[in-house]
Structures are given as structure tokens and as C-alpha cells.
Amino acid sequence: VLSLDAAVHEIAAPGVSFERQVVVRDALRRLPPRTRAAVVLHHMAGLSVNETATALKVSDNTVKSQLRLGLARLREDLR
């Protein structure tokens, strides 16, 4: 069971300017909730695809699809 503390609002990214962090945060907010959850859990929290799937109660393939879609959209938004 994965529980995210509601009091945690931001995780600092070392070596990244505050302005860039704001841009990335805003791009993440524009993602659909399921896609955003997959991207954050896998790429930012460091969970494996299987751990992310378990946390979200979906299949590994669903997580992989959400990651592919989310990263493509983030690449577009962050150009």
C-alpha cells in the first residue's frame, strides 16, 4: 500500500532552477490525473513499473501506456 502525505507539496530537484521547476510543475498539472500519477510515481518517486502498477491498481501495460503518453505530452509542453 502506497500513501502519499498530503502535507508534501513539492520535492526539490537539485541543480534545477526554481523557474524551471515551476514550468515542469505546471506541465505536470496539465496531464490527466492517471497519467500524472504514473509519471510522478515512476520518474519522480522512483517506483518500478510494477510498483507503480500495484500502487495505481492497474496492469503494468497500462502504466507503460500512461508513461509513454505522459512523457510525449511533457516533451511537447516543455519545448
Side-chain angles (χ1 to χ4, degrees):
V1 174
L2 175 70
S3 176
L4 299 178
D5 187 342
V8 175
H9 296 286
E10 292 187 31
I11 299 172
V16 179
S17 72
F18 177 75
E19 292 80 15
R20 187 65 175 167
Q21 289 180 39
V22 170
V23 169
V24 171
R25 184 183 63 216
D26 290 343
L28 282 167
R29 282 187 180 147
R30 288 190 293 273
L31 293 175
R34 281 180 45 165
T35 303
R36 181 175 54 246
V39 169
V40 169
L41 290 173
H42 182 67
H43 290 288
M44 300 176 96
L47 297 184
S48 68
V49 169
N50 184 262
E51 291 167 329
T52 301
T54 300
L56 298 176
K57 297 182 172 115
V58 298
S59 72
D60 287 5
N61 286 335
T62 298
V63 169
K64 290 175 187 178
S65 294
Q66 293 296 319
L67 291 172
R68 188 172 42 258
L69 293 170
L71 293 177
R73 188 155 166 197
L74 286 172
R75 281 186 198 104
E76 285 269 323
D77 286 354
L78 297 173
R79 281 186 181 173

